[in-house]
Amino acid sequence: MFRRSRLTGRAALLVLVLCSLVVALAYPIRAYVSQRSDIAEQRREAETAREAVQRLRQEKARWQDPAYVRQQARRHLHYVMPGETGYTVVDGTGASRPRAGRSAVQRPWYEAIWSGLDSADARRGAAGG
């Protein structure tokens, strides 16, 4: 008896066409998926930028209010209005002692230069120059 092969010419042609389609469409589909993810990322960035612009517009509107400007000047620049008395409260966390290895009283740099010049002049005068 003659046994017929399961793979006929038509089936082989069909498999060849399907493989060709898969190979032909693989790159465009990959590019499509990549572009879709890029588009989604661009949309997220645009939304973030829109929110930042909205926040900046609100802040700009607040700075148009003279009361807000006064409040910020008082808070950040420690301004006081005429007739008010300004106070600075020290909370005790600052360094009240000089750092180790440094003298308690330091002279300004220009005094160090002058004293060096004076001592050089004194030595020169003592040497008989």
Side-chain angles (χ1 to χ4, degrees):
M1 285 225 168
F2 177 67
R3 187 162 184 195
R4 191 167 183 200
S5 170
R6 297 182 97 194
L7 188 61
T8 63
R10 286 184 185 171
L13 184 61
L14 181 61
V15 168
L16 182 63
V17 168
L18 287 177
C19 287
S20 299
L21 283 174
V22 167
V23 169
L25 294 177
Y27 179 76
I29 289 174
R30 189 182 71 144
Y32 173 77
V33 171
S34 174
Q35 288 173 357
R36 294 294 294 176
S37 66
D38 290 345
I39 290 170
E41 178 65 28
Q42 292 294 324
R43 285 184 179 155
R44 281 191 294 273
E45 289 178 10
E47 183 60 31
T48 303
R50 270 190 227 102
E51 291 170 359
V53 167
Q54 184 62 29
R55 280 193 308 272
L56 290 172
R57 283 185 179 148
Q58 290 172 352
E59 185 175 347
K60 180 182 175 186
R62 276 185 285 184
W63 280 102
Q64 301 301 318
D65 181 18
Y68 181 76
V69 172
R70 277 193 299 275
Q71 175 194 23
Q72 294 303 311
R74 286 172 174 264
R75 177 179 293 152
H76 297 290
L77 302 175
H78 306 290
Y79 280 13
V80 293
M81 297 300 287
E84 294 179 344
T85 304
Y87 295 98
T88 301
V89 178
V90 180
D91 62 357
T93 61
S96 60
R97 294 186 217 141
R99 293 182 185 166
R102 299 178 78 182
S103 64
V105 178
Q106 290 184 337
R107 297 183 303 178
W109 62 270
Y110 53 85
E111 284 185 14
I113 291 174
W114 279 116
S115 66
L117 290 174
D118 288 340
S119 64
D121 283 341
R123 278 187 253 137
R124 185 175 177 195

